[in-house]
Amino acid sequence: MNNKYKRLSLSELCDRLLQFQRPVVVMHTRPDGDAIGSAYGLCGIFMAMGRDARCLCSDPIPKRLAFLNNEKLPCLEPETLSGYDYDGVISVDIGAWGQIGSVAEDLSSGIDIMIDHHSKGEPFADYYINKDAAAAGEIIYDIACEFVRRGRMEKIDKLTAACIYAAISSDTGCFKYSNVTAKTHQIAADLLALGVPFVEINRFLFDSKSRELLNAERIVYEKLRFYSGGSISICAIDNSIKRSNNLLDEHFSTAIDIARSVEGVKISMVIREMDQNPGSFRVSMRANEDIDVSDVCAHFGGGGHLRAAGCTIERDNIEEVILALLERMGVTSVVAEQ
Ligand SMILES: [Mn+2]
């Protein structure tokens, strides 16, 4: 790892956080439940300590996850950042500078502290990275506990607890992925004891579908292709499919779960052309076994975890993206199987 930046212990991290009165907490582009829940959770902690904190994201919060947003934990619009008076920037759930997105240019003094749980990636600020944490939300919980222990806040309020719970539940697929540890469940138990409305949160996260999402899933079932004796599944969604069905990228959020759910599949991929950026394809990859998919993604400039990773690939069309990925993975027959 780059030693230009300092690795912080949890205690040092908390010392540093206390230096901020009006921090901005930035999350990655295309924010997921962990990014949003962790950022809101950290803002909630700052607010509980009498500070003023704001979340920031280059992309809008998806409608599906909007239930985590509310008046108490306000989000800055990217275009208002330059006029906003802040005294520090903390990134959560961001493993690489490139994942900050367009707001990176407006962050004049860069990032002060990086809080993350991804196993690969270059620190771009003094950092606290816990690779054993199933979600950035687990780290936010540890931070909250440290401040309670120090008497900086009385307890974790219900809203902050809900955000942290949602972050963890989101990144663990409702506590069923391989990243879950005994500690994950212990934290969840602590949060439940604080009165977190886990039924509602998990229903919003996993069991609630808009008509658009349902329509997108129908397309995913139709489009799913298989390679390498059925061990690789790929769903490719370009802008023409989205346009002709009146759908956006965010509606395909469950495509990867469908792709990975098929019997015999070891590696699943969803490739989506970006709504605003034709020719740019976002790849999500999952392994059902201990196969390092982050390696393949790293080759294309992305990264992530052993069994869950992503990258962005620029090509003329989506078929070329598929070919590039299959080639990198050493798949010899690039004809989709029936
Ligand atoms: Mn995460």
Side-chain angles (χ1 to χ4, degrees), residues 131-186:
K131 294 169 190 170
D132 297 326
E138 284 194 17
I139 303 171
I140 305 302
Y141 179 77
D142 288 341
I143 293 169
C145 290
E146 175 67 12
F147 285 138
V148 170
R149 198 186 62 77
R150 293 186 186 188
R152 289 285 178 168
M153 50 190 245
E154 199 187 320
K155 61 179 174 61
I156 305 177
D157 65 79
K158 218 167 151 178
L159 180 63
T160 303
C163 290
I164 295 173
Y165 180 90
I168 298 171
S169 184
S170 173
D171 252 21
T172 58
C174 206
F175 303 91
K176 69 183 181 195
Y177 295 158
S178 60
N179 56 357
V180 170
T181 64
K183 188 183 171 185
T184 312
H185 280 290
Q186 274 152 10

Side-chain angles (χ1 to χ4, degrees), residues 142-295:
D142 288 341
I143 293 169
C145 290
E146 175 67 12
F147 285 138
V148 170
R149 198 186 62 77
R150 293 186 186 188
R152 289 285 178 168
M153 50 190 245
E154 199 187 320
K155 61 179 174 61
I156 305 177
D157 65 79
K158 218 167 151 178
L159 180 63
T160 303
C163 290
I164 295 173
Y165 180 90
I168 298 171
S169 184
S170 173
D171 252 21
T172 58
C174 206
F175 303 91
K176 69 183 181 195
Y177 295 158
S178 60
N179 56 357
V180 170
T181 64
K183 188 183 171 185
T184 312
H185 280 290
Q186 274 152 10
I187 294 173
D190 292 349
L191 294 170
L192 256 56
L194 291 170
V196 160
F198 64 96
V199 173
E200 285 78 5
I201 291 172
N202 287 324
R203 186 160 48 79
F204 272 120
L205 285 177
F206 302 105
D207 298 329
S208 162
K209 289 173 188 175
S210 66
R211 294 283 286 272
E212 287 91 352
L213 197 137
L214 205 67
N215 197 14
E217 289 192 341
R218 177 185 60 75
I219 293 165
V220 172
Y221 281 112
E222 282 171 10
K223 297 275 174 198
L224 211 51
R225 317 177 196 183
F226 301 94
Y227 299 87
S228 209
S231 64
I232 296 174
S233 65
I234 297 183
C235 180
I237 305 292
D238 62 14
N239 282 345
S240 70
I241 300 173
K242 286 189 269 179
R243 254 195 314 271
S244 57
N245 289 280
N246 267 325
L247 294 170
L248 292 169
D249 208 39
E250 64 170 275
H251 300 128
F252 289 88
S253 57
T254 59
I256 193 71
D257 300 314
I258 295 171
R260 71 181 296 196
S261 69
V262 184
E263 226 172 64
V265 165
K266 291 178 182 167
I267 296 175
S268 48
M269 277 179 246
V270 171
I271 306 163
R272 297 181 282 191
E273 190 169 14
M274 290 175 161
D275 293 332
Q276 309 298 341
N277 202 356
S280 197
F281 298 87
R282 177 79 198 154
V283 182
S284 305
M285 239 186 247
R286 299 287 183 277
N288 283 343
E289 300 175 359
D290 272 339
I291 302 168
D292 190 357
V293 289
S294 70
D295 232 31

Side-chain angles (χ1 to χ4, degrees), residues 60-72:
I61 305 298
K63 261 198 205 141
R64 202 173 65 79
L65 296 167
F67 75 97
L68 281 170
N69 196 354
N70 57 63
E71 300 296 306
K72 274 195 192 160

Side-chain angles (χ1 to χ4, degrees), residues 28 32 34-35 93 117-118 134-136 171 305:
H28 54 76
D32 56 11
D34 186 28
D93 200 35
H117 70 123
H118 294 93
D171 252 21
H305 310 279

Side-chain angles (χ1 to χ4, degrees), residues 13-25 42-55 74 84-90 112-113 147 152:
L13 168 67
C14 290
D15 291 344
R16 292 282 294 273
L17 294 178
L18 284 171
Q19 293 170 2
F20 304 127
Q21 293 298 328
R22 292 173 61 82
V24 167
V25 181
L42 186 55
C43 282
I45 292 169
F46 274 112
M47 306 290 236
M49 297 193 298
R51 322 267 165 124
D52 196 9
R54 292 283 187 283
C55 289
Y84 183 73
D85 176 29
Y86 56 94
D87 62 1
V89 183
I90 305 148
D112 294 289
I113 295 174
F147 285 138
R152 289 285 178 168

